[in-house]
């Protein structure tokens, strides 16, 4: 009776998870159809099992016998979920159907009486056990290799560190649940083989239900999984560590960004928003990278067009970014980046062999005068005073 209630409860929690995932799917970077498919299949299976065993309905009966083999499709679905999470592909490849080949093969050899009497089943039920165990381990290894190379041990991170950590933590959590669930499933199969009963994986059902509840509650309670990207971005601001002010000036471009704007948009901008809203966080990170690492603004003629060309996106996307997601205009942002570049060069000893005028030209200013005005506006120090302060500290 307790097990039946657990089936029912887990199914209800799963249905709730599905509803909330669907409402945020347009802007949720952790969502894809494979995760939704997995949760739909599992939730309805548990719901049907629970309601049937409790006598709440008799119309839908739990799947038993060799038909339950098709539930093994959830295993490659997990792999495809991780694969799409890593590569963020919008379209699904028909070639992914190749992952069903083994399941079709397993179903056929179990459904055909003549095959079941052939050499393939020389060891009886143990044959199915060995094949399924090999299948599970194969995909666990595939998933581990994928995640370890693309997320867990990756050094060159193309996105914001906090965002990356959220993806990493979620993938570790879910993979851990996958491993624990696989162990429980293997133990269940082993128990059923020894008892000479049908291999269904239900003999260890309470453990499997607990693992699924952990997954469902993680999705329901974690903003990085449940909510869309705009809300995720708000959460990320809370996790960002403050800037360390060990020197007179450290400029943080991150403070310039508005991750969830409140301003009204005209119709063309609303249409554009639908196209790029899931990429806003990535755009911000890449623009900051162009500013601080690739020094795009050393080019005196740097404009939204040059940035768009570098990122391989339409110029309208960059214009939209600065119009709705920046506290400052593009011109002001460019000025901030150039002054940050100048400070970095001063720190590295550029002025030991060069003049302030040379520094102004180096960082993209047309002459020394606008460089001087911008430097003092942003740092509250003139370039000379800032340099003197550095010399005083050094001595």
């Amino acid at each position: 009776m307790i097990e039946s209630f657990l089936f029912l409860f887990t199914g209800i929690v799963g249905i709730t998870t599905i509803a909330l995932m669907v409402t945020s799917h347009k802007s949720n970077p952790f969502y894809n159809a494979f995760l939704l498919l997995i949760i739909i299949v599992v939730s309805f299976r548990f719901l049907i099992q629970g309601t049937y065993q409790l006598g709440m309905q008799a119309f839908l009966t739990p799947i038993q016998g060799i038909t339950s083999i098709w539930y093994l499709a959830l295993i490659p679905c997990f792999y495809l979920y991780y694969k799409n999470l890593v590569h963020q592909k919008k379209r699904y490849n028909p070639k992914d159907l190749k992952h069903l080949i083994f399941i079709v093969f397993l179903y056929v050899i179990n459904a055909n009486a003549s095959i079941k009497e052939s050499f393939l089943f020389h060891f009886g039920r143990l044959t199915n056990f060995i094949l399924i165990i090999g299948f599970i381990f194969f995909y666990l290894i595939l998933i581990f290799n994928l995640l370890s190379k693309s997320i867990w041990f990756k050094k060159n991170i193309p996105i914001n560190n906090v965002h990356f950590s959220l993806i990493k933590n979620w993938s570790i959590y879910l993979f851990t649940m996958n491993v624990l669930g696989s162990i429980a499933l293997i133990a269940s199969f082993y128990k059923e083989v020894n008892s000479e009963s049908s291999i269904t994986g239900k003999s260890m059902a309470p453990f499997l239900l607990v693992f699924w509840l952990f997954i469902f509650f993680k999705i329901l309670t974690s903003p990085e999984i449940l909510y869309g990207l705009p809300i995720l971005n708000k959460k990320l601001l809370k996790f960002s560590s403050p800037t360390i002010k060990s020197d007179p000036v450290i400029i943080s471009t991150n403070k310039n960004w508005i991750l969830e704007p409140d301003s009204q948009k005209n119709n063309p901008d609303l249409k554009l928003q639908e196209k790029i809203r899931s990429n806003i966080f990535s755009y911000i990170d890449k623009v900051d990278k162009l500013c601080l690492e690739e020094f795009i603004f050393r080019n005196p003629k740097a404009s939204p067009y040059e940035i768009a060309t570098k990122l391989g996106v339409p110029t309208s996307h960059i214009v939209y970014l600065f119009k709705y997601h920046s506290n400052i205009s593009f011109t002001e942002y460019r000025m901030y980046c150039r002054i940050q570049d100048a400070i970095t060069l001063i720190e590295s000893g550029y002025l030991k062999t060069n003049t302030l005028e040379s520094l102004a030209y180096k960082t993209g200013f047309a002459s020394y005068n606008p460089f001087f005005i911008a430097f003092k506006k942003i740092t509250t120090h003139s370039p000379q005073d800032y340099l003197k302060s550095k010399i005083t500290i050094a001595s």
Side-chain angles (χ1 to χ4, degrees):
M1 182 66 72
I2 295 177
E3 182 178 301
S4 300
F5 275 111
L6 191 57
F7 268 114
L8 178 62
F9 176 72
T10 307
I12 292 173
V13 175
I15 298 299
T16 305
T17 304
I18 293 168
L20 292 172
M21 284 180 62
V22 169
T23 58
S24 64
H25 79 279
K26 288 186 177 181
S27 58
N28 193 333
F30 296 84
Y31 166 95
N32 66 52
F34 292 109
L35 182 63
L36 184 63
L37 176 63
I38 291 167
I39 295 179
I40 287 175
V41 172
V42 169
S43 300
F44 278 97
R45 183 189 186 190
F46 291 161
L47 195 62
I48 292 171
Q49 185 81 26
T51 53
Y52 183 82
Q53 290 181 354
L54 291 171
M56 298 173 65
Q57 60 87 23
F59 179 72
L60 297 173
T61 59
I63 294 177
Q64 297 179 349
I66 62 171
T67 309
S68 59
I69 289 174
W70 293 106
Y71 283 123
L72 290 174
L74 296 179
I75 296 173
C77 277
F78 268 113
Y79 168 72
L80 293 172
Y81 165 69
Y82 290 120
K83 184 179 177 181
N84 279 268
L85 177 65
V86 168
H87 299 297
Q88 291 286 308
K89 293 181 179 179
K90 293 183 179 180
R91 296 182 178 180
Y92 298 97
N93 194 339
K95 292 182 180 179
D96 290 335
L97 292 173
K98 65 186 178 183
H99 294 281
L100 296 176
I101 293 175
F102 173 81
I103 299 168
V104 173
F105 166 75
L106 192 64
Y107 179 81
V108 169
I109 64 174
N110 277 274
N112 192 301
S114 59
I115 295 178
K116 290 195 72 173
E117 295 176 359
S118 68
F119 71 96
L120 284 175
F121 284 86
H122 176 74
F123 298 102
R125 296 175 182 272
L126 193 59
T127 298
N128 276 332
F129 178 73
I130 294 172
L131 290 173
I132 293 173
I133 298 306
F135 179 72
I136 292 173
F137 273 106
F138 173 76
Y139 276 97
L140 285 178
I141 293 171
L142 272 186
I143 293 171
F144 178 82
N145 288 336
L146 173 68
L147 295 178
S148 60
K149 291 179 181 178
S150 302
I151 298 180
W152 297 344
F153 305 118
K154 189 167 185 175
K155 295 181 180 180
N156 297 321
I157 304 171
I159 58 176
N160 181 277
N161 285 338
V162 180
H163 190 193
F164 181 82
S165 296
L166 293 175
I167 297 176
K168 180 178 179 180
N169 293 338
W170 162 243
S171 63
I172 291 174
Y173 181 91
L174 187 58
F175 182 71
T176 301
M177 291 298 106
N178 291 155
V179 172
L180 293 175
S182 297
I183 292 172
L185 194 61
I186 291 170
S188 178
F189 290 153
Y190 181 77
K191 182 179 179 181
E192 289 164 356
V193 167
N194 284 340
S195 62
E196 297 186 356
S197 58
S198 299
I199 297 180
T200 61
K202 293 182 180 179
S203 59
M204 301 290 284
F207 293 98
L208 292 171
L209 290 170
V210 169
F211 294 140
W212 276 108
L213 281 174
F214 272 109
I215 293 174
F216 291 156
F217 282 123
K218 178 66 175 178
I219 295 174
L220 290 172
T221 58
S222 299
E224 68 269 30
I225 308 305
L226 171 61
Y227 298 115
L229 188 57
I231 299 178
L232 168 61
N233 289 334
K234 286 185 177 180
K235 299 291 182 181
L236 291 178
L237 290 177
K238 298 180 181 179
F239 304 149
S240 299
S241 56
T243 303
I244 301 174
K245 298 182 179 179
S246 57
D247 287 316
V249 178
I250 293 179
I251 300 172
S252 174
T253 55
N254 288 332
K255 294 180 180 179
N256 299 328
W257 300 112
I258 304 170
L259 300 176
E260 182 64 15
D262 297 323
S263 57
Q264 296 295 322
K265 304 174 182 65
N266 55 42
N267 287 334
D269 286 344
L270 286 172
K271 292 179 180 178
L272 187 57
Q273 180 192 46
E274 291 301 316
K275 294 181 180 179
I276 69 173
R277 63 184 301 177
S278 63
N279 295 321
I280 291 298
F281 197 88
S282 175
Y283 283 175
I284 289 173
D285 189 73
K286 289 177 180 178
V287 169
D288 280 346
K289 185 177 179 181
L290 287 175
C291 161
L292 301 174
E293 297 179 21
E294 299 185 25
F295 309 111
I296 190 173
F297 294 115
R298 287 183 179 179
N299 175 8
K301 297 182 180 180
S303 66
Y305 172 78
E306 276 72 31
I307 291 180
T309 301
K310 281 278 188 179
L311 300 184
V313 300
T315 305
S316 59
H317 289 201
I318 304 303
V319 173
Y320 176 93
L321 179 69
F322 280 94
K323 184 176 180 180
Y324 292 108
H325 292 274
S326 177
N327 282 314
I328 57 178
S329 66
F330 173 80
T331 302
E332 290 173 309
Y333 178 82
R334 181 176 58 193
M335 179 178 63
Y336 270 80
C337 290
R338 285 172 174 170
I339 297 305
Q340 177 64 75
D341 187 14
I343 291 173
T344 303
L345 288 170
I346 292 172
E347 298 287 342
S348 64
Y350 180 85
L351 292 178
K352 290 179 180 180
T353 55
N354 296 277
T355 64
L356 284 169
E357 287 78 5
S358 175
L359 179 64
Y361 290 119
K362 174 76 172 178
T363 53
F365 287 92
S367 65
Y368 177 73
N369 189 51
F371 167 73
F372 177 90
I373 295 171
F375 197 99
K376 191 164 186 178
K377 177 182 178 180
I378 294 174
T379 68
T380 69
H381 302 281
S382 68
Q384 293 87 344
D385 290 340
Y386 183 81
L387 182 59
K388 287 178 182 177
S389 69
K390 298 303 297 181
I391 294 173
T392 301
I393 293 173
S395 60

